Amino acid sequence: MKTLLILLIVTTCLFACRQQHVPVLVTQEPDYEKAQSFLHIKNDSAFYYYNKVVGTLVDSIQIAQVYNLMAALQADAGDYYGSQENLLMSLRYLNEQNERHVYCLSSDYNELGNTSLNLKNYDAAIHYYDLALKYARNDTLKQTLLNNKGLVYQKEGNYMQAIAIYDSIIHKKNLDPMGYARVLSNLARTKWLRNTGYRAAPELLTALQIRIQEKDDWGQNASYAHLSDYYMATHPDSALLYAGKMYNVARQLNSPGDEAEALQKLIQLAPAHTVKPYFTRYQYLNDSIQTARNKDKNQFALIRYDVAKNKMENLQLQKENADKKVQIIQQRILIYGVILLMVAGLFTAIGWYRKRKQRIIREEKLKNSRKVHDVVANGLHRIMSELQYQPVIEKEKLLDKIDNLYNKSRDLSYEKPPVYEEGFQTEIIQLLASFQTDAIHIMTVGNNEHLWENIADDTKEHVKLILQELLVNMKKHSDARNVAVRFEQTDGQIFMQYTDDGVGLPAEHTPGNGLKNTVSRIKNMNGRITFDSDPKKGLKVRISFPIVYIP
């Protein structure tokens, strides 16, 4: 069943992004054509060429489409967080006011709904499906989106809401036979889940008959699964029959996920003396699926790294060629510059000597101000956020947090090393969770124990306070609904990327103490920070620093 859902995801993505008023397919790009030729045959190669071509495109709708296709391939491989990252990239290139973009907007939000459903984040899935419906212009696509939304309500146990959605679809006059069978089967299954006494067999069998007539193998696979579940408690022999049919169809479709599901049913229903071959096959299949998914996830990450590395090497080569052409001019400028620097240095030394004491005083005040802002102000804001959005607050934990904040405020004048009793990975998770609300969804990628093993404690504290400052600014000023934080270790560096879909930084923005402190901390860590802000696309902050840092 999971493989069927993934196939529907990819089909919807391809259908939605191509139903444009103006054709947008990238037919003149060789790398794009190569990617298309590998699609559904060797998906890692397709991903490689999509990722390669996306950096050469100019048309925003083409860029969005390629990111959408890459996300679908990642979802197919079970890399849901990587898929969400590429979908957010796709959304950055789309304009809801442009009618050419609405189909890809609908497809992106549908895919975000599907990944959220697979991650069992049901509230987020409903939110994204509603956004997808907002931009859907095709009746068939709308019916697919409503069916997906009904599936979410079914999964979370809200059967009445799911039934209401299926009832609204099934009476549509323009519903094709395969669509009708799908909705009928889902509706009957939902009614049965709500009331196990409901006679769902006639509707389930009707849906199966339509799918057989339409030669819908994937639909038959789903019907056999529903019928096996339905008869399991009351007619085990019938349940066993349909589980066997599902197993045969899944093998014909070469769908390991559905084959594994059918084997689970057979192991449960078959006579004891016939179970062993099913169990052996299930163990082998389950291990193969997990191995393949892990391999695909790593392969996608390596592909993106290799393409980015090649682009950087090409840019470096171009820069070296350009440097050779201006070398003589630079040498002359250097000579004149040295003379000017010597003159300026004389005057600067005099001024520096006079202002030295004043600068030391200002730096000390700035250092104390930064401590107060990061430790006390942002700490209080984090506690207030938890009080505001968490339905239940344990008094003892709250008192511990306030006492911890009090002790930190008393120790501001001392340089005490931080202590993370539960591990720094957990510290980051708790920090992000304290800012997540019903309206703000926060995703994180790459935060694991191995990442932080060689990082100095002082650097970890800097990272925590920097991330806390970004989240506080997001909460106060950005109106963001989605936040993504990604960590990555590459070539002796830690790369951290913060992204939100808020209003970004104002054009005439003057950094306050918080952002100034953030920039100062990055410099102290021998790192780099860049801000990429757009009022329509949100804010992106890239940070990098060495893995081993001695303060």
Side-chain angles (χ1 to χ4, degrees), residues 268-469:
Q268 185 176 354
L269 293 165
H273 66 278
T274 65
V275 166
K276 185 176 179 180
Y278 295 140
F279 185 75
T280 302
R281 174 64 179 170
Y282 175 78
Q283 281 188 313
Y284 167 78
L285 199 61
N286 189 54
D287 292 342
S288 298
I289 291 172
Q290 294 301 321
T291 301
R293 288 191 177 277
N294 292 334
K295 179 182 177 181
D296 286 341
K297 290 179 184 179
N298 293 333
Q299 186 70 12
F300 289 143
L302 289 173
I303 287 172
R304 297 193 69 177
Y305 169 75
D306 288 340
V307 171
K309 183 179 178 182
N310 289 337
K311 288 181 180 179
M312 290 298 296
E313 290 176 350
N314 290 335
L315 290 174
Q316 182 64 30
L317 182 60
Q318 294 175 11
K319 182 178 181 297
E320 290 175 358
N321 292 334
D323 288 344
K324 292 178 181 178
K325 296 180 181 179
V326 298
Q327 186 175 7
I328 297 176
I329 298 175
Q330 288 178 337
Q331 289 176 349
R332 292 177 180 176
I333 293 175
L334 179 62
I335 295 172
Y336 296 135
V338 170
I339 296 173
L340 290 174
L341 285 174
M342 291 176 64
V343 175
L346 178 62
F347 290 100
T348 301
I350 297 173
W352 174 83
Y353 178 78
R354 294 177 178 177
K355 297 179 179 179
R356 180 172 178 273
K357 290 185 179 180
Q358 295 179 359
R359 186 176 68 251
I360 293 174
I361 295 173
R362 286 197 303 270
E363 289 176 352
E364 189 65 23
K365 288 182 178 180
L366 179 61
K367 181 179 180 181
N368 291 331
S369 174
R370 184 175 66 187
K371 287 183 178 181
V372 172
H373 179 275
D374 290 341
V375 175
V376 180
N378 283 346
L380 282 173
H381 189 277
R382 178 177 175 182
I383 293 175
M384 290 167 62
S385 178
E386 293 178 1
L387 288 173
Q388 184 177 2
Y389 293 104
Q390 290 189 9
V392 178
I393 300 294
E394 295 183 17
K395 181 178 178 181
E396 293 298 325
K397 290 186 177 180
L398 177 60
L399 290 174
D400 289 341
K401 291 179 180 179
I402 295 174
D403 182 66
N404 183 45
L405 184 60
Y406 169 72
N407 289 329
K408 286 183 177 180
S409 65
R410 291 187 60 191
D411 296 333
L412 286 178
S413 61
Y414 302 95
E415 296 292 338
K416 289 189 174 182
V419 177
Y420 303 108
E421 298 178 354
E422 298 181 4
F424 191 67
Q425 175 195 17
T426 303
E427 186 74 17
I428 293 295
I429 293 173
Q430 293 175 349
L431 174 62
L432 295 175
S434 66
F435 285 88
Q436 180 158 297
T437 69
D438 292 339
I440 300 175
H441 305 283
I442 300 178
M443 297 177 291
T444 180
V445 179
N447 178 34
N448 54 64
E449 294 181 1
H450 176 70
L451 182 73
W452 305 108
E453 286 179 355
N454 297 320
I455 308 302
D457 288 340
D458 287 345
T459 302
K460 292 178 182 177
E461 184 67 5
H462 286 316
V463 171
K464 173 187 172 184
L465 295 175
I466 289 167
L467 186 54
Q468 179 175 270
E469 176 62 32

Side-chain angles (χ1 to χ4, degrees), residues 10 29 56 69 89 100 153 173 190 231 236 239 260 265 298 321 334 340 354 390 400 442 462 464 488 500 526 549:
V10 177
E29 288 288 343
T56 66
L69 292 169
M89 287 296 298
R100 292 178 66 241
Y153 284 123
K173 294 182 179 180
T190 306
Y231 283 120
K265 299 180 189 299
N298 293 333
N321 292 334
L334 179 62
L340 290 174
R354 294 177 178 177
Q390 290 189 9
D400 289 341
I442 300 178
H462 286 316
K464 173 187 172 184
E488 185 179 2
D500 70 42
N526 290 338
Y549 169 63

